[in-house]
Amino acid sequence: MANKIDTKFTLQVKALLNKLYGRSVLKDSLLEQAIEFYEKQPFYQHKLDNLTQQINDLNTQNGDASAKRQLDKLEREYRDIKQEFKFESNDRYKYLYNICKEILSLTEGATFAETIRKSAQMLGTIQLLCPTAGKRVAEVNERSKPLYKSVLTLRLLDQLCIDQVMVANDGHVKSVLGALSGDAFKTMQEHDKDIHETFIENVKIPVIMASLLQDIGHFHPEAQRIVKGADGSLDPHRTLPVEERKALLQINYRETVKFLIDGIGAPIYVGNSKADRDKFNVAEHKKLIFIKHLLKSAIAPKLGVGNLIKVPQIYTSIILSTKDSYNYKLLPKVYQALNQNAERGACSPLVVDTLRKITGDFPQGFGVTFIPKDSDGKNGDHYEYAIVNQLYPKDPKHPLCRAATRGLTFISHGQDIEIVGEISLYNTDTAKKFAALSKDRLNEILEKLASNYQERKQLDLLPRCWHAGEFFGLPNHQKLWNKTG
């Protein structure tokens, strides 16, 4: 299937991915801005330290007019450098803030139901744009992780506030929501726009920022020396020895916080009112403290608010893995790993269960194979393809999907379907029963559903899932989230 022009939404997602972790000659993505900050910051600091030393030396002397002029010059130079640094950080803040607003506009609607639909579309689109085999899996997955994780974190934040647990009881969040009930939170956007706007500015945007910045410290030169080796020759996606992993985690946290505080910081107030400026600065300082608190508490969250970004981080590291062990077929086993983390005390079981309630076992955009029912309600003698396209399944083991084939033919306008265990080829018992079909019949099915002979040779005769990325390459197949019927 030749790749055509993408839908508007797919183009927006691709643009957003580039703004976050893209690499270009302009060096203007969030990642490239962080790398530039890490490279320039020691130089800035060295200059400031030298100026501070010279100013202190002159201050201890009872100098003449010439010394006074020299002191004024040095102090002016010091202020200019600090001012330049502040303007640069303010530009980076505005860039990050606008990305957060864009994420919200693409993933949230006028109602809770519309927000869930748009978030499913974002998560599914990211998954379907990522290769599931080949040499570029790690590279593309690494670039896609921050956006994917931030969307999951938003939906987790909402659900924890609806359930009125953990994050809803955090001091900063509570100061915004007050005594708002879970039910009232769910309809807040429709019935209390002021609180909703305040919640977006003071909680949601800081939460997105924390999620997007969580691993940016990995790109500090000191961290990259561990990841790639001193001469840059090592595979950056290899499994690290325990000591190197610990060192990397420490550097990542330290440098992520440094980039947050010094590289982004609080925005500059624009206006002439001292009272408004003071109020603005207090509010922005609180947000900065909240982001730092999320980042710090995510290191060892136990049962605390750090789980809000830690659990999506673990989930995303499996779904969009950068390791050699990445295996697309095993993605629906993601909660086995998350539950093991929870059992070890690495994260909260309650938050893991909450995320599972939202996502189900099958990630958005995952290719599901199922056996359709015939007119008598019996299982047919062939399988069809579907793609997971909705969040909040009634049963986490039964994904909500959009049919991608009918009668062994690819279609653009399939129906939504719940893939229950008895028709899902991911279900071992179902697959065993279906395996009774002759090899010739299975080959015949595969011939119709696979696009070329080379691909057929690599596919299982009885596929537990299918790789839907090529199907998604056609713009008519990118409308998996529009209304049917």
Side-chain angles (χ1 to χ4, degrees):
M1 296 177 195
N3 195 13
K4 309 288 184 187
I5 297 169
D6 293 313
T7 61
K8 181 184 175 184
F9 186 85
T10 303
L11 288 171
Q12 287 173 313
V13 174
K14 286 182 174 180
L16 202 42
L17 289 166
N18 280 328
K19 286 178 188 176
L20 284 166
Y21 264 46
R23 302 284 189 132
S24 74
V25 290
L26 296 174
K27 296 192 180 298
D28 58 354
S29 70
L30 178 68
L31 173 62
E32 289 168 323
Q33 288 178 33
I35 290 170
E36 183 188 45
F37 167 80
Y38 290 138
E39 287 170 351
K40 286 170 70 174
Q41 205 262 346
F43 169 73
Y44 269 114
Q45 199 55 54
H46 182 66
K47 271 186 100 169
L48 289 173
D49 289 345
N50 273 347
L51 285 168
T52 302
Q53 185 63 51
Q54 290 177 63
I55 289 166
N56 288 341
D57 289 346
L58 282 170
N59 274 326
T60 56
Q61 300 169 15
N62 291 319
D64 54 16
S66 170
K68 178 73 172 70
R69 282 195 302 275
Q70 177 66 7
L71 183 62
D72 288 345
K73 178 174 173 287
L74 291 171
E75 286 177 338
R76 191 165 55 252
E77 193 179 342
Y78 183 91
R79 284 194 303 273
D80 287 347
I81 291 174
K82 291 288 278 187
Q83 187 80 312
E84 182 190 348
F85 205 55
K86 182 61 188 170
F87 284 147
E88 285 182 6
S89 67
N90 193 57
D91 286 343
R92 284 189 287 262
Y93 176 90
K94 286 192 284 189
Y95 184 87
L96 179 57
Y97 177 85
N98 287 333
I99 283 177
C100 294
K101 293 289 279 187
E102 196 174 342
I103 290 171
L104 286 166
S105 76
L106 288 175
T107 58
E108 303 205 341
T111 64
F112 185 72
E114 180 63 5
T115 290
I116 296 309
R117 186 196 69 77
K118 289 178 79 172
S119 294
Q121 184 175 12
M122 173 68 86
L123 294 168
T125 298
I126 296 169
Q127 173 73 72
L128 286 159
L129 288 174
C130 290
T132 52
K135 293 179 179 176
R136 294 190 65 238
V137 170
E139 173 199 336
V140 178
N141 281 358
E142 181 174 73
R143 194 178 68 118
S144 306
K145 274 182 181 182
L147 180 57
Y148 192 96
K149 178 161 57 89
S150 70
V151 179
L152 275 186
T153 301
L154 280 172
R155 301 292 65 86
L156 184 58
L157 168 66
D158 279 358
Q159 191 57 53
L160 291 171
C161 286
I162 290 165
D163 295 340
Q164 294 203 292
V165 291
M166 191 175 293
V167 69
N169 298 321
D170 173 81
H172 178 75
V173 177
K174 224 167 173 46
S175 70
V176 175
L177 292 179
L180 199 71
S181 71
D183 287 341
F185 178 89
K186 199 169 182 178
T187 58
M188 171 175 62
Q189 187 170 353
E190 299 156 82
H191 302 301
D192 202 328
K193 295 200 181 300
D194 286 345
I195 291 184
H196 179 249
E197 281 304 313
T198 306
F199 188 71
I200 283 176
E201 288 298 324
N202 293 284
V203 179
K204 281 197 167 174
I205 286 177
V207 162
I208 300 172
M209 287 182 174
S211 184
L212 293 177
L213 295 174
Q214 192 175 10
D215 295 313
I216 208 94
H218 277 141
F219 296 90
H220 185 272
E222 203 178 327
Q224 286 295 292
R225 276 194 292 276
I226 293 174
V227 170
K228 293 183 177 177
D231 61 356
S233 64
L234 298 177
D235 174 12
H237 304 299
R238 74 194 187 287
T239 301
L240 295 174
V242 175
E243 288 309 310
E244 287 188 2
R245 173 81 182 142
K246 280 183 185 173
L248 182 62
L249 288 171
Q250 288 172 350
I251 295 165
N252 177 57
Y253 171 69
R254 184 188 74 216
E255 297 304 330
T256 294
V257 170
K258 184 181 283 183
F259 182 60
L260 168 70
I261 303 299
D262 297 333
I264 291 173
I268 297 171
Y269 169 76
V270 178
N272 301 314
S273 165
K274 185 181 183 304
D276 285 351
R277 185 187 66 205
D278 292 345
K279 189 178 172 185
F280 174 87
N281 288 339
V282 167
E284 292 301 327
H285 183 63
K286 280 182 182 174
K287 291 182 207 175
L288 207 52
I289 289 173
F290 179 53
I291 298 170
K292 186 180 176 184
H293 174 57
L294 284 172
L295 291 169
K296 185 176 182 180
S297 52
I299 296 170
K302 296 184 181 172
L303 302 178
V305 72
N307 282 282
L308 178 62
I309 61 173
K310 181 65 174 181
V311 172
Q313 181 189 40
I314 300 170
Y315 179 97
T316 305
S317 72
I318 297 165
I319 298 302
L320 299 178
S321 175
T322 56
K323 300 301 177 196
D324 287 340
S325 57
Y326 171 82
N327 184 340
Y328 183 74
K329 288 182 194 173
L330 298 180
L331 297 191
K333 309 283 188 190
V334 57
Y335 283 97
Q336 289 183 8
L338 270 165
N339 286 326
Q340 285 168 5
N341 273 276
E343 284 165 17
R344 289 201 308 267
C347 58
S348 158
L350 180 147
V351 178
V352 170
D353 290 345
T354 303
L355 189 63
R356 189 176 182 223
K357 175 181 175 181
I358 298 166
T359 67
D361 291 345
F362 293 78
Q364 296 301 301
F366 189 78
V368 175
T369 50
F370 71 99
I371 306 164
K373 299 280 188 185
D374 61 22
S375 55
D376 297 326
K378 293 177 181 173
N379 284 0
D381 69 340
H382 68 283
Y383 57 82
E384 302 280 8
Y385 287 167
I387 298 172
V388 182
N389 74 331
Q390 293 174 62
L391 296 166
Y392 285 94
K394 292 192 284 288
D395 183 323
K397 295 176 184 173
H398 300 164
L400 302 172
C401 303
R402 177 69 55 91
T405 62
R406 188 187 302 123
L408 300 176
T409 303
F410 286 101
I411 53 174
S412 302
H413 306 289
Q415 294 297 306
D416 286 333
I417 179 173
E418 180 185 20
I419 310 290
V420 297
E422 67 182 66
I423 65 168
S424 172
L425 282 178
Y426 206 83
N427 182 315
T428 309
D429 292 337
T430 305
K432 279 178 183 172
K433 287 177 190 170
F434 195 73
L437 281 182
S438 71
K439 191 173 180 183
D440 286 346
R441 175 59 179 153
L442 290 172
N443 261 320
E444 188 183 322
I445 297 167
L446 196 56
E447 193 167 338
K448 290 187 176 180
L449 292 179
S451 57
N452 59 62
Y453 179 68
Q454 282 304 113
E455 184 186 348
R456 282 210 306 281
K457 284 204 302 187
Q458 293 166 13
L459 290 173
D460 297 328
L461 269 181
L462 193 64
R464 307 288 295 281
C465 61
W466 70 291
H467 299 249
E470 190 180 357
F471 170 86
F472 191 71
L474 289 172
N476 279 346
H477 295 165
Q478 294 174 7
K479 299 170 183 176
L480 301 165
W481 300 272
N482 58 356
K483 288 186 176 133
T484 61

